[in-house]
Every structure is written in C-alpha cells, then in structure tokens.
Amino acid sequence: MGVGVVFTGFFGMMGLLLMSFPIAVIMVVLGVIGGVLLYGWPLLNSMGPVIWGVQNENILTAVPLFILLGELLLRSGIADRMYGALAIWLNRLPGGLLHTNIGCCSLFAATSGSSVATAATVGTVALPNLKRRGYGSRQALGSLAAGGTLGILIPPSVNLLIYGSLANESIGQLFIAGIIPGIALTLLFMVYIASESYFIPASDGEEEAKVPLAMKLAALKHLVPPAIIFAVVMGSIYFGIATPTESAALGVVVALAFAAREGKLSLEFFDNCFRQTAKTTGMILLIITAAFMLNVTLALGGIAQTMTAWVASFGLAPWALLMALIVFYLFLGMFMDVLSMQVLTIPVALPIVTAVGIDPIWFGIFIVLMCELGMITPPVGMNLYVVQGVRTDGGPFRDVVLGAIPYALIMVLFTILLIFVPQIVTWLPETMSGR
Amino acid sequence: ETYQLKALGQPVATGLIQKNVEQPFFENFAEKTGIDATVDYKPLDVTGIKDTEQLRILKAGLFDIVSLRMSQVSRDEPTILGLDLVGLNPDYDTGRKTVAAFQDKVDAQLQAKFNTKLLGVWPFGPQVLFCEPEIAQLSDLKGKKVRVYDQNLANFVSSVGGTPVPIGFPDVHQSLARGVVDCAITGPSSANSAGWPEVTNYMLPVAFQLALNGYGINLDTWNKLSEEDQAKLEAGFDTLVEDIWTYSEELFDDAVRCNIGEEPCETVKKYDLKLVEISAADKDIIGNAVTEISFPTWAEVCDKQNASCSADWKAAIDAALTQ
Amino acid sequence: MEHFAAFAARLFGVALVALSIFVSIETVARKLFNFSFEGADELGGYVLAIGSSLAFVVALVDRAHIRIDVLHARFPKRLQAVMDWLSIVSIAGLGLFILYVGRIVIVDTLAYGSTAPTPWATPLIWPQAAWYAALCLFALASIYMAVRATVHVINGRLDQVTAEFHPKGAIEELQEEMEDLGRR
Ligand code: NA
Ligand code: NA
C-alpha cells in the first residue's frame, strides 16, 4: 500500500468528517470497507471479538469512573467553592483574579477530566467578579479558555487513559508523567499573566483589598476535599497500592463521602451525575471501539509501516520530526474535535516516532499538549465556544480567540522546551519505578 | 501458483524468540519450507487484537496461521491447559515428553471445534520466582504477596501460604519497587529485560510452568495445499518448533547466568541476584502440585467441555512418564 | 425514548457506584489484610462492557455522538436537514452492523462453552448475553430514530428533522450546565 492511498484515505475521511457525519460511523465504515477490500469477508467475522475485547477491557473501566468522580465533585458544589477560596489566596499577585482562574482550573483539573464543565463552572463564577473589578475582557476570557485545557494534562486524565490503551503503555506511568508538565504549564501561564499585568498595567483590574489571615485560613477548608481526592487517586498510583482503575474507584468512594457530608445525596443529584456520566461515556467508548476496529484494518494494511518508511525517507532528526508533528497537529486541531484527532492519529504516529527513538510515555504527554492546543484554536475549539457561551456581555467571539492566542503560543513554546529537555516529562516516572 | 498466506505472530514485546526465530521463519517462508508461498506476517501487538480471541480469529479465517498463546486461548478450549499444568513440566525434557504425549488430543479438539490444525507446540521457557526479601525455599512464601499471571498459578501460590496478586506485566517492576508485591513469577529473560533484578534480590529457578505456545493453521488453508506441500509444511514447522525448543533452552540458561552475574552472559544485562538452590522438599512440593492442586481444578472445568478430557490426559501422561 | 435513556443512565450509574465500593474494599483489604476477592478487575471489565453499551443509547438520545458541525452550521437549511437525516440513518446502520458481528461472538461462546480464565471461572455467556442485549437496545433505539427521521423527510418536514437530529453544539451543552449551576 502506497503513501498516496493513505493520504487519499485520510483526506476522504476529513471530507466526510466536515460533512458532519458521525465520527464513529466514519471510522467503522472506513475500517470495514478497507479491511474487506484488503482481506475479504473473514475480516467481518473477526470484528465481533474485537468489539468485545475493547468493551471488556478493565483498563478502560477507569474512563467512566473518572468521569463520574468529576461529576460528583462538580454537582455537589465542592468545586464551586474552590474558586472563592483560591481567589482569596491568589488575589494580590500581579494579575490578581486571573491567577485564580488558572489556579482554579488546574486544581479542578486535578480531580476531573471534563473541560466543558470546568470552564462553565469557573467561568460563571469568575466572569461577573472580573467584570466588576474592571479586568479587560480579552485577558479574562483567554485565561479561562486556556486554564480549562489543563484538565487533560494534569492527572487523572481521560485523554492520557485513552492514549495508554491505544499505545499499550502503563497508565500509571503516564499519569505520573503528566504531573510536572502540568504544574510547569500552570506556572508558565501565571508568569505570563503577572508580566502582562506588570508591563501593560491597563489590562489589570483594581487593586484587591487585603484579606485578614484568619479568613484566609478559614477559606482553606474548601480546598481540602479536592486535595484529599487528588492525594488518594495519585498517591495510590504513585505508591503502587492501586491500579489506575482501582484508584478511580477509591476516588469515587471518597467523593461520595464528601458529597454526603455536604448533604447533597438526593435522587435528583444522582440522576444528574449518572446521566452526564452515561452520556460522556457512551460518546467516548463508541469512538474508542470504532478506533480499534479501524486499527485492525490499518495494521493489516501495514499503514503504520508505510508511513514510518515514508517519514524515515526524509531522514529527519527527531527534533525536526517533532516540529513537523507540531505543525501537523496544530492544523488538524483547528478542524477536528480533539478526542477524534487523538484516536485517529496515535496508531500511525506512535510507530513513526518510536522508530526514531522517542520515548512512548513522553509522546503521550506531547499528544495531550497538542490536544490542549486544539481546544483553544479556532474554528473548532471546544473551550473557545464554552467561554464565549458563559459571558453575559454579548461581546464578539474574536475577544476569546485573541485572548487565547498568547496561551496557545506558550503551549507551543512549552512543547518545544519538552522536545529539548525531555526529562521534564520522564524524570518523575523513571524515579517512581526505581530506575 | 504462489500461495499468499497471512500469519499472526507473537507480540513484539515478548522478545528474542519472536525476533530471532519466528519472524525470520515467516519472512523467509518459501526458503524454509520449500513451498512456493509468500507470507504476510503481523505481530499480535501491532494489530490491537486480544490474545484471548486468537482461536476465534483463526476460525474466522482472517489469518491462515496463528502463533497461539496457549494459556490465553484456553478460555475457549480448556483442553489446551492440560499441556502446561502448574508443576507438570519442571524442566525442558519433561516438557517435551508432555507435549509429545498430549499434543494429539489438543489437535483433535482444535480440528473439531475451531477448524484448526495444530502444527507444533513450543515453550517461552520455565517461569521462575523472583523475590525482594530473602527466601530459601517455597515455604518461605508464606505471608508474602506474589505476582501471578494466571489462575492455575494463583491456586498454587495460595497452597503454599502466599497471597496471589494478579498484576499486568508492565506494572510489576514498580509494584516490586514499592513493595506492593514481595515476589513475582515470570521467565528469567523477560524479568531481565523488564529490569526486575534492579528491584529484587533472590531468584529461585524452580519451573512452575513452561509458558507454551503453538502454531495453528486454518483447515481450509491446509486442505487447499497439495499432499506434497502439506508434508513440506509439516516438516518446515517441525524444524521451526525444534529450533525454538533449543533456542529457548539456550536463552533460559544464558538469562539465568546473566541474572546471577556469571559468564558467559550474551543475551541480556548482567545483574547480581542470589541464586536459591532448589531443595528436595521444593521438588516434592512442585511435583505434588499437579495431583493435589492443578489437575483437580482443571479437570473439573475441562470435563464440562470435553467429556473425556481428564481421562485422556491421565492415560497420555501416565504412558509418557512411565516410558 | 427519554424514559428509557433515563433508566439506562440510572442502571449504569448504580453499577459504577457498586463497582467502586467493591473495588475499594478489595484494594484496602489487599493492602491491609493481605486478602483478595480475586475478581474485582474481572467484574470491572463486565461492568464496562454492559454499561458502555447502555451508555451508547444515552449518548444517542442526548445527541452526544460526536459530529463536526463547523461547516454544517453554514450549510443551507435543506442540506443541513439532509445531513442530519443521513447521520441518524448511518448510526442505525452501525447499530445493525454491531448486532450482526456481535451475534457471532455469542454463537461461538455458546458453542465453546467458554469460561473466563479467572478465579471465578465465570461462564462467559452470562456477561456477554447482557452485553449483547444492551447492544440490541442501542440498535433498536437508533432504528426507531432513523425511521422517525425518514418519515419526517418523506412528509417534507425538513425543519422537524433539523430540530430533532441536528448535532448538539457546545453552546447547547453549556446551557444545560448553566441550568444545573443555578440549582446548586
Ligand atoms: Na485531570
Ligand atoms: Na481547535
């Protein structure tokens, strides 16, 4: 199979995607038609075991559990209160409440995977405050859109789980690998906010009033539940007590206990959490199942080998290859939903990069950063839509896009930094496994 | 005309046997067998197909030849497990005898139920014990947590007083490092490649199982071959399987030497594990495991699917071992 | 349809909570008392197989199966409706396809009497029968919706097709989030 056929297939698929056909259907149709052409009707009879194999995969059980965990925290109001607590603590940094946006998003991120819910919650609480205190709307909207993407880098992360299951890599190692880059990117965002506020004071809001220490300490209690959940989930993985699926289950039980303490455990509460979890799980699992079906055909057709050989023929150095991939993903991320982008490209991209000696755990973090980027690049950028939807001033979409651009640039520069200093990703997982 | 065959191989991740023997055989199939055929060879982990589904995939005809992982595919055909019950094959020689004696029964089941003919059976090699805390014999496993990879082994570990913990291979290194498990069982070569000697101190080279695999061919494909080609194919696979038995034993001996820091050490990294001598008592424990633990549990499951399963096994193994 | 999705979501949620409790007990017991039920991961796999198939239905009813709507929103109204109709028909096709290939799994499992290679030695047909039943529900739900859309098309009610089957964008999802936010 030649490179030409691969590209024809790829662009044909992009065409169907943009026509708005359901992505799972496109993947199955391509997988089945391509597979039957290549391998005849036996392929069809082999699809059943493939479907059962994916849906019965214990590792993927962590996906609905982490989604449920996030829903429980969100809908019990635990997450909402974090914003207030963080605002009190981060207020007086140069850039004020904008830090709270980023900080709150990342703390949120540490316990949940859903970026729509994160941005919606934080945005709704934050925007009126920001407006009242005179922050520029571009800065405020940008920090919310970018902050919301941190959820898929800082573990637990459904996107890292999906990468691990497609790439056959340890989910635990991937989660651990996400911690330092997640914190580093959060800090970079905050440094950017502080320096913008320092050099362009007009963008900054009013000086915040000083909050008495007693009140500051009292506010800390709202940070306790998310901190404990993060400690339980990541601690049990780090110390090897639990597999990621088990750690998700522990997280759910602890979150239930907190929700019970809040007196939230009503039938309506559960109904709401369960409905959201089922909806998101159904969406994600159908795409993953379809991806595995397509993957069989890709493998049998030797697509990955073809592409690996083709890319190798350019003789690129690893850093140059990764730069090219950044451009590729930046482009793809403009037009594709990031989950689809992930499942469609990993089976082909991973063999290409491992062939030049790039660590697969490192590449998982790279892919997730590219997904984060895709969430804030127009025209298809989930977080841009969401933040635009939360605002009440009726301003143009352009504000959100412009506000997000500096953060997108930071993400690209950060990814380039990771290319040249891969230890930022690999050090912690290697230390953990005793290497 | 030239036959076009499709083969599903061992996962690349399983190491040297796949890389140095299996893949070269399929890539030079015409030369190795003398049959005018080209083979499209795909390692299992490249396809995303689960090993437990191999027999169904083979029956569906997606591949003509599949490198079957016996323990995993026994889900659909428990008779297969009779080849490698815990304690049955303490060394390579016994393993060869067991396979020779029981292979035909397995083949008959595969032909009847999966439209598949068995072309040969071969071992990854003895699965042995690695421990972080000091152990001198099997009875020291009492109260310790031991990583196991299947049910048969879990029953055995429980019987000597240990707690079996099923953990996926990629997570074992970390679990040993963090003390989640005290001991773990696998082949010495895989253990070495995964860096287990960095986080353990003792190796007890008693063979719990041989980790058997086999080549199955779809009967439709087989029947399309002329009788002459069928004979060539069988001869080709006999040679391949024999090569693997020999190579497997070389790898095992070499990996044991590497793990304990002895020369010559050629295939894997050198470490300095302490080698625990196998005591006479341990040999008895392992020997008795068949009659006391692994056979009774297996017989119950197997006889449900294949009425003469355990009777056939007894007859075949008794005959082989009294020779 | 809505009642059914609500029921499926509840069933799924209760199963997840029960699984979480079971797995947590197992994990703690293993760490503290060296004791294990030796089946938590097996149970997790079955909950996912059955639960995610039910979740397919919920996502279907909530129009959450991903479609890229960047161009769709700019299509002329008639073309939008045609794409919405084709999309739901294609999902029904997917549902039928999964039923067809899933049937082979069930038939084989029955023929082989397959048993999970685990401590529980679960006869595989139990979880697989429930899994297949859930997939049947997904197929039935998608066929029902496809027929409904087709009837609208035949009767020329294209705007009705758009109203019921257009891809749900982030904005709509957000409105639901805001409503929930108001309640807590
Ligand atoms: Na997260
Ligand atoms: Na985008």
Side-chain angles (χ1 to χ4, degrees):
Chain A
M1 174 141 333
V3 174
V5 181
V6 178
F7 277 110
T8 310
F10 182 75
F11 286 112
M13 193 179 63
M14 287 296 285
L16 290 171
L17 268 176
L18 290 175
M19 297 270 294
S20 83
F21 277 106
I23 166 105
V25 173
I26 299 174
M27 287 194 278
V28 174
V29 167
L30 271 161
V32 169
I33 292 180
V36 169
L37 285 179
L38 277 170
Y39 268 70
W41 294 110
L43 181 105
L44 222 52
N45 299 343
S46 307
M47 281 299 166
V50 171
I51 297 174
W52 168 256
V54 179
Q55 287 194 270
N56 182 41
E57 173 66 67
N58 176 259
I59 290 172
L60 290 175
T61 311
V63 171
L65 290 177
F66 279 127
I67 294 171
L68 178 60
L69 169 58
E71 289 293 330
L72 291 172
L73 288 181
L74 189 73
R75 295 185 202 287
S76 61
I78 291 172
D80 307 9
R81 254 157 272 148
M82 274 165 43
Y83 188 86
L86 273 181
I88 292 176
W89 278 86
L90 299 176
N91 254 343
R92 294 185 55 83
L93 292 172
L97 274 180
L98 298 182
H99 291 293
T100 314
N101 293 348
I102 300 291
C104 201
C105 285
S106 69
L107 212 67
F108 227 65
T111 52
S112 113
S114 162
S115 59
V116 176
T118 307
T121 308
V122 178
T124 311
V125 185
L127 281 174
N129 277 324
L130 291 164
K131 192 126 204 98
R132 193 160 38 78
R133 298 194 191 161
Y135 284 89
S137 60
R138 200 167 58 69
Q139 284 80 4
L141 297 168
S143 69
L144 285 171
T149 69
L150 290 167
I152 64 173
L153 177 60
I154 299 177
S157 153
V158 169
N159 292 64
L160 280 175
L161 252 163
I162 292 168
Y163 175 84
S165 78
L166 278 164
N168 232 335
E169 290 296 326
S170 157
I171 311 288
Q173 297 242 332
L174 282 164
F175 278 10
I176 300 289
I179 295 179
I180 293 180
I183 294 173
L185 190 57
T186 307
L187 291 177
L188 278 179
F189 286 173
M190 293 174 91
V191 166
Y192 164 74
I193 290 171
S195 42
E196 196 192 11
S197 130
Y198 183 81
F199 291 111
I200 320 170
S203 69
D204 211 348
E206 292 164 24
E207 178 76 356
E208 305 294 335
K210 230 183 176 141
V211 178
L213 186 68
M215 224 177 120
K216 275 187 160 182
L217 291 177
L220 277 183
K221 71 167 190 284
H222 295 305
L223 301 182
V224 169
I228 288 185
I229 290 189
F230 182 74
V232 165
V233 171
M234 290 313 293
S236 62
I237 292 178
Y238 187 88
F239 292 105
I241 297 165
T243 65
T245 307
E246 289 167 346
S247 77
L250 289 169
V252 166
V253 169
V254 177
L256 274 173
F258 280 125
R261 240 188 84 237
E262 300 279 329
K264 287 286 180 181
L265 299 188
S266 66
L267 214 56
E268 196 205 354
F269 167 78
F270 277 123
D271 246 2
N272 206 349
C273 291
F274 291 167
R275 183 66 177 255
Q276 293 296 330
T277 307
K279 184 179 82 177
T280 314
T281 305
M283 179 268 277
I284 294 179
L285 256 292
L286 190 66
I287 288 199
I288 297 180
T289 308
F292 270 87
M293 291 162 82
L294 176 59
N295 201 8
V296 172
T297 298
L298 293 182
L300 297 183
I303 308 290
Q305 289 98 314
T306 307
M307 292 307 288
T308 306
W310 182 68
V311 170
S313 72
F314 293 103
L316 293 175
W319 67 266
L321 171 63
L322 288 169
M323 294 290 192
L325 279 178
I326 292 179
V327 176
F328 172 73
Y329 277 113
L330 185 62
F331 173 76
L332 216 57
M334 289 179 181
F335 299 100
M336 250 172 135
D337 141 76
V338 295
L339 175 70
S340 321
M341 175 171 98
Q342 217 191 343
V343 298
L344 281 172
T345 57
I346 290 169
V348 177
L350 184 64
I352 293 178
V353 300
T354 47
V356 297
I358 289 163
D359 178 48
I361 298 282
W362 183 93
F363 191 63
I365 302 301
F366 174 90
I367 289 274
V368 165
L369 276 166
M370 293 297 102
C371 289
E372 286 192 75
L373 197 55
M375 290 159 90
I376 55 168
T377 51
V380 180
M382 194 61 169
N383 280 30
L384 300 177
Y385 292 152
V386 172
V387 172
Q388 170 70 9
V390 185
R391 68 197 286 203
T392 45
D393 61 0
F397 185 56
R398 207 176 39 144
D399 289 349
V400 190
V401 175
L402 289 177
I405 285 177
Y407 295 96
L409 279 175
I410 293 175
M411 283 180 195
V412 171
L413 292 176
F414 183 63
T415 312
I416 294 173
L417 175 70
L418 292 188
I419 293 176
F420 292 100
V421 193
Q423 291 80 0
I424 297 172
V425 175
T426 54
W427 177 76
L428 194 58
E430 278 172 11
T431 313
M432 172 189 79
S433 62
R435 296 278 159 115
Chain B
E1 105 256 48
T2 307
Y3 298 108
Q4 308 278 344
L5 299 178
K6 289 160 297 193
L8 183 65
Q10 289 292 323
V12 176
T14 54
L16 293 174
I17 292 178
Q18 187 275 339
K19 181 168 166 252
N20 292 340
V21 190
E22 183 178 281
Q23 184 157 3
F25 173 84
F26 284 108
E27 282 173 352
N28 304 295
F29 192 77
E31 180 196 329
K32 298 270 186 186
T33 59
I35 299 172
D36 183 15
T38 56
V39 178
D40 183 4
Y41 173 85
K42 294 278 186 291
L44 183 73
D45 44 1
V46 170
T47 63
I49 293 172
K50 291 266 173 62
D51 48 15
T52 42
E53 311 291 339
Q54 280 182 326
L55 279 175
R56 296 183 185 209
I57 301 280
L58 185 51
K59 175 168 172 262
L62 187 59
F63 290 91
D64 301 291
I65 300 171
V66 173
S67 191
L68 296 166
R69 294 161 68 74
M70 293 307 211
S71 166
Q72 284 82 352
V73 299
S74 69
R75 181 195 75 183
D76 286 337
E77 181 44 76
T79 310
I80 294 172
L81 220 52
L83 289 166
D84 204 15
L85 296 176
V86 170
L88 179 61
N89 303 317
D91 50 54
Y92 279 91
D93 283 341
T94 318
R96 282 172 185 267
K97 281 186 199 155
T98 308
V99 168
F102 196 58
Q103 182 175 351
D104 288 349
K105 294 291 176 203
V106 174
D107 181 42
Q109 284 297 114
L110 294 186
Q111 298 218 17
K113 278 169 68 177
F114 298 92
N115 197 35
T116 289
K117 179 179 166 58
L118 189 61
L119 290 169
V121 176
W122 54 270
F124 273 132
Q127 306 291 296
V128 306
L129 184 69
F130 295 82
C131 284
E132 195 273 322
E134 180 166 3
I135 52 153
Q137 64 245 328
L138 282 172
S139 55
D140 292 343
L141 287 181
K142 198 172 170 63
K144 295 200 168 57
K145 280 172 276 189
V146 185
R147 180 263 173 172
V148 297
Y149 50 80
D150 80 2
Q151 187 42 33
N152 229 275
L153 203 53
N155 291 341
F156 175 77
V157 168
S158 305
S159 77
V160 292
T163 306
V165 184
I167 299 177
F169 190 79
D171 292 319
V172 177
H173 185 279
Q174 186 205 343
S175 303
L176 284 164
R178 299 267 162 220
V180 177
V181 291
D182 306 299
C183 302
I185 297 171
T186 195
S189 184
S190 323
N192 189 300
S193 312
W196 292 13
E198 295 162 2
V199 289
T200 54
N201 298 309
Y202 298 87
M203 179 172 74
L204 178 62
V206 52
F208 296 94
Q209 283 173 305
L210 279 182
L212 294 179
N213 301 274
Y215 292 108
I217 183 168
N218 185 298
L219 273 179
D220 298 340
T221 309
W222 172 257
N223 291 331
K224 264 185 245 156
L225 299 175
S226 67
E227 260 181 46
E228 189 191 348
D229 282 342
Q230 286 180 349
K232 283 184 190 166
L233 189 79
E234 281 195 307
F237 272 92
D238 285 347
T239 313
L240 169 67
V241 167
E242 184 51 41
D243 286 350
I244 300 183
W245 274 94
T246 313
Y247 186 56
S248 168
E249 194 162 357
E250 284 168 21
L251 281 181
F252 175 76
D253 292 342
D254 190 68
V256 168
R257 284 195 301 269
C258 292
N259 284 342
I260 60 173
E262 277 183 7
E263 290 290 346
C265 163
E266 277 156 4
T267 52
V268 281
K269 240 172 114 178
K270 215 163 160 180
Y271 289 104
D272 58 350
L273 291 181
K274 287 187 196 67
L275 183 70
V276 182
E277 291 295 328
I278 307 171
S279 66
D282 282 352
K283 278 187 183 151
D284 285 347
I285 292 177
I286 280 284
N288 290 336
V290 180
T291 48
E292 283 168 17
I293 301 153
S294 51
F295 176 74
T297 38
W298 168 70
E300 194 188 323
V301 175
C302 193
D303 286 344
K304 266 189 216 154
Q305 296 312 319
N306 167 10
S308 65
C309 180
S310 61
D312 289 347
W313 184 88
K314 268 193 167 141
I317 299 298
D318 283 349
L321 297 184
T322 51
Q323 266 171 18
Chain C
M1 207 42 36
E2 169 51 37
H3 287 300
F4 178 70
F7 175 73
R10 269 180 213 158
L11 200 61
F12 180 50
V14 170
L16 283 182
V17 169
L19 175 73
S20 297
I21 294 171
F22 181 76
V23 169
S24 298
I25 293 173
E26 150 92 23
T27 309
V28 172
R30 191 179 64 217
K31 179 70 194 163
L32 297 182
F33 314 114
N34 266 2
F35 167 80
S36 165
F37 302 111
E38 297 174 28
D41 54 341
E42 183 183 355
L43 185 67
Y46 299 149
V47 167
L48 184 71
I50 301 159
S52 63
S53 303
L54 283 175
F56 290 169
V57 187
V58 180
L60 180 70
V61 172
D62 287 349
R63 280 181 285 128
H65 290 302
I66 297 182
R67 295 170 59 192
I68 307 278
D69 62 353
V70 60
L71 290 186
H72 184 273
R74 293 169 176 74
F75 285 161
K77 285 271 173 272
R78 287 181 73 87
L79 185 55
Q80 280 192 18
V82 169
M83 283 314 302
D84 292 339
W85 172 64
L86 283 177
S87 291
I88 187 67
V89 169
S90 74
I91 288 191
L94 176 65
L96 281 175
F97 175 75
I98 292 178
L99 273 200
Y100 171 74
V101 295
R103 199 187 70 93
I104 300 171
V105 174
I106 298 293
V107 169
D108 282 353
T109 296
L110 282 173
Y112 310 148
S114 306
T115 310
T118 58
W120 292 356
T122 315
L124 216 52
I125 191 61
W126 298 353
Q128 283 188 345
W131 164 73
Y132 194 65
L135 288 178
C136 284
L137 294 175
F138 173 60
L140 284 176
S142 57
I143 290 168
Y144 168 80
M145 290 171 82
V147 169
R148 214 181 140 82
T150 309
V151 170
H152 286 325
V153 170
I154 291 170
N155 293 333
R157 293 194 300 260
L158 287 182
D159 28 332
Q160 194 60 30
V161 177
T162 309
E164 284 179 36
F165 300 100
H166 75 276
K168 197 168 185 176
I171 298 302
E172 227 174 311
E173 219 165 286
L174 197 70
Q175 277 162 0
E176 290 166 15
E177 281 302 327
M178 308 296 265
E179 280 166 29
D180 182 58
L181 210 58
R183 268 174 291 170
R184 62 179 187 251

